[in-house]
Amino acid sequence: MSLLLLLFVLVYGMAMLFILFYSVAQAHLLYRFRLFLKRGHGATPPAPDVWPMVTVQLPVYNERYVVERLIGAVATLDYPADKLEVQLLDDSDDETTQLIQAKIQQYPRLNLQHIRRPDRSGYKAGALKHGLDLVKGEYIAIFDADFTPKPHFLKRTVPYFADESVGMVQTRWTHLNREYSLLTRLQAFALDAHFYVEQVGRNSLSAYINFNGTGGIWRKETILDAGNWQDDTLTEDLDLSYRAQIKGWKFKYLPEVESPAELPPVMSALKSQQFRWTKGGAESAVKHLGTVVHSDAPLKVKYHALAHLLNSAVFVAVLLASLASIPLLWARVNNQLPEEIFTIGAATLLSFLVISLVYFQAFSREKASFSDRAGFLLYFPLFLSLSMGLALHNAVAVWEGWTGRKSPFIRTPKFNLEAPQHRWQENLYLNLRMPFTTYAEGLLGLLFLAVAVWSVVKGEYGLLIFHSMLAIGYLLVFYYSFQSYKKT
């Protein structure tokens, strides 16, 4: 075996071992989730005799399509008016500000403060920190602009703070536009697995979970004790979550309390969101991994924290494994590698079986009937292919996060689209500049398509499904990207 071929074997093997490491963590979370379903989450705490003061923070920046809907939803919150204040943290530089000023006139009884800063320093983290200096509430609920909190949100979450060790309560995202398109259905498919299996599983283990940036409520004391909002990562929510839990604060996750929100309906918007989440996750890993490893936390907590903080690295592993698999396929066709290597490699593919069970469990929670659940056989391969097709885009984000390359906080455009007949093309916030990685995704799609065809011609089918899914995934990502970036 040549040194170059040995290098490809090592790269492929290490990448697949990392995916196996991650899938073992997922399997444990699935087990804990199943236990949760059997045992339940315990009794809901009683309402307090006197409701505490709560501040609702609404950070917005250029949200002309959704800000009025947001204000209308918050105005329906069922909570004593004298114990509720709302901060509209408005960093906008377009007509959003005028829309806010007009909308709040409709709710004279709502204690709504329209707060403007001189600049966007610190982006969302900076806005939240600025608002925190002005709040009157003991507890801080946060909603992004595309959320529509339900009236019962505060009365369902505030009672959990009777336990003085609880620092944050997170609720489960649901999706206003799940059925808008195939792209939104696949996103819902992915997020449901996080909000059902992962969050529930980690919380039941007393492992670290994360505030998801919105749809949650904090104890003000917790934020300050953990060092306040910081803007040195693109995921200020994940960063603060780890700082707070490392200091000993407990988080509570409530899957039964829903927080409806909008999914990005186009690939360019999805990519901007994915890039921020993935790069921010990598930045948070650099910031917190050492602290977690050297902490006094139980081993199971450390293990799940490692898998949690490094989950964005799965995209790097998929990219490396997919590229290394091409010369390995050539070597197998030409009898250049021992058969044992491929037998061992096949065992690592069990990772995908575990991951499929995680997603099936989440999918089954949303789809009650047998015919609906049968749709999993369609959605999971498509979801997995699309995820593979995002590997290049997200691997670039991970690399930037690991190496400390800084970039601005790019907001995800909001659309207020719930029906398929609504058009996204008129959205003024869409980025119409197609990045170079989109062309690379198209080329990779063609490359893996050619590899799949070549393997059929050679009668070698061991990696055919893998390469076929990569081809479909990259070509789908390229198609949806080209569609959403081009001018219409």
Side-chain angles (χ1 to χ4, degrees):
M1 185 188 307
S2 68
L3 287 177
L4 182 59
L5 193 53
L6 178 61
L7 176 63
F8 286 126
V9 170
L10 291 175
V11 169
Y12 182 83
M14 293 299 292
M16 295 303 292
L17 282 174
F18 177 79
I19 294 173
L20 182 62
F21 158 83
Y22 177 74
S23 69
V24 169
Q26 293 294 94
H28 191 216
L29 294 180
L30 177 60
Y31 168 71
R32 295 296 306 194
F33 178 71
R34 296 294 301 175
L35 284 181
F36 172 86
L37 294 181
K38 291 180 180 179
R39 299 173 180 174
H41 54 77
T44 301
D49 295 332
V50 179
W51 290 100
M53 188 73 186
V54 172
T55 299
V56 178
Q57 290 188 320
L58 310 174
V60 299
Y61 171 68
N62 293 356
E63 303 288 6
R64 69 178 76 193
Y65 300 107
V66 295
V67 72
E68 294 172 299
R69 182 181 67 183
L70 170 68
I71 296 170
V74 171
T76 68
L77 287 171
D78 178 20
Y79 204 75
D82 62 329
K83 296 297 180 69
L84 178 65
E85 71 170 352
V86 179
Q87 289 184 337
L88 253 163
L89 306 173
D90 177 23
D91 286 346
S92 303
D93 55 18
D94 69 352
E95 67 182 79
T96 301
T97 299
Q98 289 70 43
L99 292 173
I100 291 172
Q101 291 172 343
K103 187 67 176 179
I104 61 179
Q105 300 304 314
Q106 300 177 20
Y107 306 102
R109 296 184 180 181
L110 182 64
N111 179 10
L112 199 156
Q113 302 166 16
H114 187 193
I115 299 172
R116 301 270 295 162
R117 297 190 295 160
D119 57 64
R120 286 187 73 208
S121 58
Y123 304 104
K124 180 181 176 180
L128 294 171
K129 185 176 181 180
H130 179 79
L132 193 67
D133 292 336
L134 308 173
V135 302
K136 297 178 182 177
E138 301 173 56
Y139 306 101
I140 317 296
I142 300 171
F143 295 100
D144 283 347
D146 53 332
F147 274 68
T148 57
K150 294 190 175 183
H152 61 237
F153 177 88
L154 294 176
K155 287 190 174 179
R156 296 284 298 276
T157 56
V158 169
Y160 286 91
F161 290 104
D163 180 347
E164 294 186 357
S165 66
V166 171
M168 192 278 299
V169 177
Q170 176 67 50
T171 63
R172 178 171 60 88
W173 294 7
T174 55
H175 319 294
L176 293 169
N177 60 336
R178 174 192 292 269
E179 301 302 325
Y180 181 79
S181 67
L182 176 62
L183 192 60
T184 57
R185 287 193 289 272
L186 293 178
Q187 289 176 74
F189 188 86
L191 287 171
D192 287 343
H194 170 68
F195 282 100
Y196 275 123
V197 178
E198 293 181 349
Q199 288 286 63
V200 169
R202 291 189 186 110
N203 206 210
S204 71
L205 283 163
S206 298
Y208 299 149
I209 68 168
N210 59 297
F211 167 58
N212 291 106
T214 174
I217 179 169
W218 285 83
R219 188 187 297 271
K220 179 183 176 182
E221 179 189 353
T222 302
I223 299 175
L224 296 176
D225 182 57
N228 214 323
W229 295 104
Q230 298 175 9
D231 62 0
D232 55 344
T233 75
L234 291 179
T235 46
E236 72 293 322
D237 45 9
L238 178 63
D239 170 39
L240 180 60
S241 296
Y242 267 78
R243 284 188 278 119
Q245 290 170 106
I246 288 170
K247 293 211 71 171
W249 289 98
K250 296 179 181 177
F251 284 10
K252 182 68 178 177
Y253 179 64
L254 305 179
E256 70 276 13
V257 181
E258 299 179 357
S259 289
E262 178 183 298
L263 296 162
V266 295
M267 183 60 74
S268 59
L270 172 61
K271 277 185 168 181
S272 68
Q273 183 186 74
Q274 285 284 308
F275 193 91
R276 188 176 71 251
W277 288 356
T278 307
K279 181 174 179 177
E283 291 172 328
S284 294
V286 171
K287 186 173 181 178
H288 295 296
L289 273 178
T291 305
V292 169
V293 169
H294 294 101
S295 72
D296 295 326
L299 183 60
K300 64 180 181 181
V301 172
K302 290 184 179 182
Y303 178 70
H304 281 286
L306 290 174
H308 189 192
L309 288 170
L310 291 173
N311 62 7
S312 59
V314 170
F315 292 104
V316 177
V318 169
L319 180 64
L320 292 176
S322 62
L323 293 175
S325 70
I326 298 175
L328 295 187
L329 177 64
W330 175 89
R332 180 164 187 170
V333 169
N334 290 279
N335 298 314
Q336 298 292 312
L337 286 175
E339 188 65 27
E340 291 77 11
I341 289 179
F342 296 98
T343 302
I344 296 172
T348 63
L349 295 177
L350 291 173
S351 304
F352 295 99
L353 175 60
V354 171
I355 292 170
S356 69
L357 291 174
V358 169
Y359 283 95
F360 179 72
Q361 178 67 77
F363 189 79
S364 297
R365 296 294 297 173
E366 289 292 327
K367 305 295 184 181
S369 70
F370 175 79
S371 59
D372 284 338
R373 291 181 180 182
F376 179 84
L377 298 176
L378 169 66
Y379 285 113
F380 182 68
L382 279 175
F383 159 74
L384 199 57
S385 295
L386 195 70
S387 299
M388 291 178 176
L390 285 168
L392 174 63
H393 176 268
N394 287 351
V396 171
V398 173
W399 180 252
E400 288 190 8
W402 284 347
T403 57
R405 180 178 176 181
K406 295 301 179 182
S407 57
F409 184 103
I410 305 299
R411 60 179 288 281
T412 304
K414 314 300 191 304
F415 293 78
N416 197 358
L417 302 178
E418 296 182 31
Q421 65 269 25
H422 296 162
R423 287 173 55 81
W424 54 263
Q425 287 86 348
E426 289 88 3
N427 191 295
L428 299 177
Y429 300 134
L430 279 175
N431 179 9
L432 298 179
R433 295 177 56 191
M434 191 160 70
F436 78 93
T437 51
T438 299
Y439 297 103
E441 286 160 351
L443 292 174
L444 284 172
L446 294 175
L447 171 63
F448 286 111
L449 179 61
V451 171
V453 171
W454 182 77
S455 66
V456 171
V457 171
K458 292 296 183 178
E460 178 52 64
Y461 304 107
L463 292 171
L464 178 60
I465 294 177
F466 183 48
H467 289 144
S468 298
M469 293 181 72
L470 284 164
I472 292 170
Y474 277 116
L475 291 174
L476 277 175
V477 169
F478 173 77
Y479 168 75
Y480 279 122
S481 297
F482 184 78
Q483 180 190 58
S484 63
Y485 283 117
K486 70 176 183 178
K487 295 184 178 180
T488 58

mmCIF file of all heavy atoms in Angstrom, residues 337-360:
data_model
loop_
_atom_site.group_PDB
_atom_site.id
_atom_site.type_symbol
_atom_site.label_atom_id
_atom_site.label_comp_id
_atom_site.label_asym_id
_atom_site.label_seq_id
_atom_site.Cartn_x
_atom_site.Cartn_y
_atom_site.Cartn_z
ATOM 1 N N LEU A 337 -6.170 -2.740 -1.888
ATOM 2 C CA LEU A 337 -6.363 -2.693 -0.437
ATOM 3 C C LEU A 337 -6.866 -4.035 0.062
ATOM 4 O O LEU A 337 -7.638 -4.721 -0.616
ATOM 5 C CB LEU A 337 -7.380 -1.603 -0.065
ATOM 6 C CG LEU A 337 -6.918 -0.148 -0.159
ATOM 7 C CD1 LEU A 337 -8.081 0.780 0.127
ATOM 8 C CD2 LEU A 337 -5.772 0.125 0.814
ATOM 9 N N PRO A 338 -6.465 -4.419 1.303
ATOM 10 C CA PRO A 338 -6.968 -5.673 1.888
ATOM 11 C C PRO A 338 -8.474 -5.602 2.116
ATOM 12 O O PRO A 338 -9.019 -4.548 2.466
ATOM 13 C CB PRO A 338 -6.212 -5.774 3.220
ATOM 14 C CG PRO A 338 -5.051 -4.858 3.096
ATOM 15 C CD PRO A 338 -5.458 -3.771 2.159
ATOM 16 N N GLU A 339 -9.146 -6.730 1.952
ATOM 17 C CA GLU A 339 -10.601 -6.781 2.130
ATOM 18 C C GLU A 339 -11.012 -6.436 3.553
ATOM 19 O O GLU A 339 -12.095 -5.889 3.780
ATOM 20 C CB GLU A 339 -11.099 -8.186 1.773
ATOM 21 C CG GLU A 339 -12.615 -8.321 1.742
ATOM 22 C CD GLU A 339 -13.259 -7.494 0.641
ATOM 23 O OE1 GLU A 339 -12.574 -7.235 -0.372
ATOM 24 O OE2 GLU A 339 -14.437 -7.110 0.802
ATOM 25 N N GLU A 340 -10.134 -6.702 4.537
ATOM 26 C CA GLU A 340 -10.465 -6.439 5.941
ATOM 27 C C GLU A 340 -10.743 -4.960 6.202
ATOM 28 O O GLU A 340 -11.551 -4.608 7.074
ATOM 29 C CB GLU A 340 -9.322 -6.910 6.863
ATOM 30 C CG GLU A 340 -9.138 -8.411 6.941
ATOM 31 C CD GLU A 340 -8.438 -8.980 5.709
ATOM 32 O OE1 GLU A 340 -7.918 -8.172 4.903
ATOM 33 O OE2 GLU A 340 -8.429 -10.218 5.558
ATOM 34 N N ILE A 341 -10.059 -4.110 5.465
ATOM 35 C CA ILE A 341 -10.270 -2.669 5.659
ATOM 36 C C ILE A 341 -11.718 -2.306 5.360
ATOM 37 O O ILE A 341 -12.349 -1.532 6.087
ATOM 38 C CB ILE A 341 -9.302 -1.865 4.770
ATOM 39 C CG1 ILE A 341 -7.883 -1.989 5.315
ATOM 40 C CG2 ILE A 341 -9.725 -0.390 4.697
ATOM 41 C CD1 ILE A 341 -6.837 -1.269 4.509
ATOM 42 N N PHE A 342 -12.274 -2.864 4.315
ATOM 43 C CA PHE A 342 -13.651 -2.542 3.935
ATOM 44 C C PHE A 342 -14.662 -3.197 4.873
ATOM 45 O O PHE A 342 -15.734 -2.651 5.120
ATOM 46 C CB PHE A 342 -13.897 -2.970 2.489
ATOM 47 C CG PHE A 342 -13.056 -2.210 1.513
ATOM 48 C CD1 PHE A 342 -11.875 -2.748 1.024
ATOM 49 C CD2 PHE A 342 -13.421 -0.944 1.083
ATOM 50 C CE1 PHE A 342 -11.091 -2.049 0.132
ATOM 51 C CE2 PHE A 342 -12.642 -0.240 0.195
ATOM 52 C CZ PHE A 342 -11.470 -0.782 -0.285
ATOM 53 N N THR A 343 -14.294 -4.354 5.437
ATOM 54 C CA THR A 343 -15.179 -4.996 6.410
ATOM 55 C C THR A 343 -15.292 -4.147 7.669
ATOM 56 O O THR A 343 -16.388 -3.919 8.206
ATOM 57 C CB THR A 343 -14.644 -6.393 6.778
ATOM 58 O OG1 THR A 343 -14.529 -7.172 5.584
ATOM 59 C CG2 THR A 343 -15.568 -7.079 7.764
ATOM 60 N N ILE A 344 -14.134 -3.634 8.149
ATOM 61 C CA ILE A 344 -14.130 -2.753 9.324
ATOM 62 C C ILE A 344 -14.872 -1.453 9.014
ATOM 63 O O ILE A 344 -15.663 -0.950 9.815
ATOM 64 C CB ILE A 344 -12.684 -2.466 9.776
ATOM 65 C CG1 ILE A 344 -12.015 -3.752 10.244
ATOM 66 C CG2 ILE A 344 -12.674 -1.418 10.884
ATOM 67 C CD1 ILE A 344 -10.539 -3.608 10.519
ATOM 68 N N GLY A 345 -14.615 -0.925 7.823
ATOM 69 C CA GLY A 345 -15.280 0.318 7.429
ATOM 70 C C GLY A 345 -16.787 0.185 7.370
ATOM 71 O O GLY A 345 -17.523 1.111 7.726
ATOM 72 N N ALA A 346 -17.264 -0.983 6.952
ATOM 73 C CA ALA A 346 -18.709 -1.195 6.855
ATOM 74 C C ALA A 346 -19.367 -1.127 8.228
ATOM 75 O O ALA A 346 -20.525 -0.703 8.362
ATOM 76 C CB ALA A 346 -18.992 -2.540 6.200
ATOM 77 N N ALA A 347 -18.626 -1.520 9.281
ATOM 78 C CA ALA A 347 -19.188 -1.488 10.635
ATOM 79 C C ALA A 347 -19.513 -0.070 11.075
ATOM 80 O O ALA A 347 -20.479 0.165 11.806
ATOM 81 C CB ALA A 347 -18.215 -2.139 11.610
ATOM 82 N N THR A 348 -18.706 0.891 10.627
ATOM 83 C CA THR A 348 -18.955 2.281 11.022
ATOM 84 C C THR A 348 -20.242 2.824 10.407
ATOM 85 O O THR A 348 -20.776 3.833 10.866
ATOM 86 C CB THR A 348 -17.773 3.187 10.624
ATOM 87 O OG1 THR A 348 -17.635 3.177 9.184
ATOM 88 C CG2 THR A 348 -16.474 2.706 11.245
ATOM 89 N N LEU A 349 -20.735 2.163 9.359
ATOM 90 C CA LEU A 349 -21.979 2.622 8.737
ATOM 91 C C LEU A 349 -23.192 2.397 9.640
ATOM 92 O O LEU A 349 -24.283 2.901 9.361
ATOM 93 C CB LEU A 349 -22.177 1.906 7.396
ATOM 94 C CG LEU A 349 -21.130 2.228 6.313
ATOM 95 C CD1 LEU A 349 -21.397 1.401 5.064
ATOM 96 C CD2 LEU A 349 -21.123 3.702 5.978
ATOM 97 N N LEU A 350 -22.999 1.645 10.744
ATOM 98 C CA LEU A 350 -24.069 1.490 11.720
ATOM 99 C C LEU A 350 -24.462 2.837 12.312
ATOM 100 O O LEU A 350 -25.567 2.991 12.847
ATOM 101 C CB LEU A 350 -23.627 0.538 12.834
ATOM 102 C CG LEU A 350 -23.450 -0.940 12.440
ATOM 103 C CD1 LEU A 350 -22.846 -1.726 13.604
ATOM 104 C CD2 LEU A 350 -24.784 -1.541 12.024
ATOM 105 N N SER A 351 -23.549 3.806 12.222
ATOM 106 C CA SER A 351 -23.848 5.160 12.702
ATOM 107 C C SER A 351 -25.118 5.689 12.057
ATOM 108 O O SER A 351 -25.950 6.329 12.712
ATOM 109 C CB SER A 351 -22.686 6.108 12.381
ATOM 110 O OG SER A 351 -21.482 5.633 12.910
ATOM 111 N N PHE A 352 -25.267 5.432 10.768
ATOM 112 C CA PHE A 352 -26.414 5.972 10.042
ATOM 113 C C PHE A 352 -27.712 5.280 10.462
ATOM 114 O O PHE A 352 -28.775 5.881 10.408
ATOM 115 C CB PHE A 352 -26.176 5.858 8.539
ATOM 116 C CG PHE A 352 -25.039 6.709 8.066
ATOM 117 C CD1 PHE A 352 -23.777 6.163 7.847
ATOM 118 C CD2 PHE A 352 -25.215 8.063 7.851
ATOM 119 C CE1 PHE A 352 -22.726 6.954 7.426
ATOM 120 C CE2 PHE A 352 -24.168 8.870 7.423
ATOM 121 C CZ PHE A 352 -22.913 8.318 7.215
ATOM 122 N N LEU A 353 -27.609 4.022 10.903
ATOM 123 C CA LEU A 353 -28.786 3.337 11.423
ATOM 124 C C LEU A 353 -29.254 4.007 12.710
ATOM 125 O O LEU A 353 -30.457 4.252 12.900
ATOM 126 C CB LEU A 353 -28.468 1.863 11.688
ATOM 127 C CG LEU A 353 -29.586 1.051 12.357
ATOM 128 C CD1 LEU A 353 -30.849 1.043 11.503
ATOM 129 C CD2 LEU A 353 -29.112 -0.369 12.647
ATOM 130 N N VAL A 354 -28.308 4.330 13.595
ATOM 131 C CA VAL A 354 -28.651 5.009 14.845
ATOM 132 C C VAL A 354 -29.292 6.355 14.557
ATOM 133 O O VAL A 354 -30.332 6.717 15.129
ATOM 134 C CB VAL A 354 -27.391 5.198 15.717
ATOM 135 C CG1 VAL A 354 -27.695 6.104 16.912
ATOM 136 C CG2 VAL A 354 -26.870 3.856 16.189
ATOM 137 N N ILE A 355 -28.692 7.111 13.669
ATOM 138 C CA ILE A 355 -29.220 8.440 13.348
ATOM 139 C C ILE A 355 -30.617 8.331 12.749
ATOM 140 O O ILE A 355 -31.503 9.142 13.042
ATOM 141 C CB ILE A 355 -28.246 9.167 12.398
ATOM 142 C CG1 ILE A 355 -26.936 9.482 13.146
ATOM 143 C CG2 ILE A 355 -28.866 10.438 11.849
ATOM 144 C CD1 ILE A 355 -25.826 9.987 12.268
ATOM 145 N N SER A 356 -30.838 7.308 11.928
ATOM 146 C CA SER A 356 -32.170 7.139 11.337
ATOM 147 C C SER A 356 -33.210 6.853 12.414
ATOM 148 O O SER A 356 -34.349 7.328 12.329
ATOM 149 C CB SER A 356 -32.149 6.007 10.299
ATOM 150 O OG SER A 356 -31.965 4.745 10.921
ATOM 151 N N LEU A 357 -32.839 6.096 13.454
ATOM 152 C CA LEU A 357 -33.774 5.811 14.545
ATOM 153 C C LEU A 357 -34.114 7.073 15.328
ATOM 154 O O LEU A 357 -35.257 7.268 15.749
ATOM 155 C CB LEU A 357 -33.179 4.752 15.480
ATOM 156 C CG LEU A 357 -33.046 3.345 14.900
ATOM 157 C CD1 LEU A 357 -32.304 2.429 15.877
ATOM 158 C CD2 LEU A 357 -34.417 2.764 14.562
ATOM 159 N N VAL A 358 -33.134 7.933 15.515
ATOM 160 C CA VAL A 358 -33.380 9.215 16.203
ATOM 161 C C VAL A 358 -34.405 10.032 15.435
ATOM 162 O O VAL A 358 -35.387 10.551 16.002
ATOM 163 C CB VAL A 358 -32.063 10.005 16.361
ATOM 164 C CG1 VAL A 358 -32.352 11.445 16.818
ATOM 165 C CG2 VAL A 358 -31.138 9.307 17.350
ATOM 166 N N TYR A 359 -34.203 10.157 14.136
ATOM 167 C CA TYR A 359 -35.112 10.970 13.339
ATOM 168 C C TYR A 359 -36.480 10.321 13.176
ATOM 169 O O TYR A 359 -37.500 11.005 13.117
ATOM 170 C CB TYR A 359 -34.473 11.282 11.981
ATOM 171 C CG TYR A 359 -33.425 12.357 12.087
ATOM 172 C CD1 TYR A 359 -32.078 12.034 12.234
ATOM 173 C CD2 TYR A 359 -33.786 13.697 12.071
ATOM 174 C CE1 TYR A 359 -31.110 13.017 12.359
ATOM 175 C CE2 TYR A 359 -32.826 14.694 12.190
ATOM 176 C CZ TYR A 359 -31.493 14.350 12.335
ATOM 177 O OH TYR A 359 -30.551 15.327 12.473
ATOM 178 N N PHE A 360 -36.508 8.992 13.143
ATOM 179 C CA PHE A 360 -37.802 8.317 13.059
ATOM 180 C C PHE A 360 -38.620 8.564 14.325
ATOM 181 O O PHE A 360 -39.833 8.772 14.263
ATOM 182 C CB PHE A 360 -37.618 6.825 12.838
ATOM 183 C CG PHE A 360 -38.927 6.073 12.778
ATOM 184 C CD1 PHE A 360 -39.771 6.203 11.685
ATOM 185 C CD2 PHE A 360 -39.330 5.281 13.842
ATOM 186 C CE1 PHE A 360 -40.990 5.529 11.627
ATOM 187 C CE2 PHE A 360 -40.540 4.601 13.801
ATOM 188 C CZ PHE A 360 -41.378 4.736 12.685
#
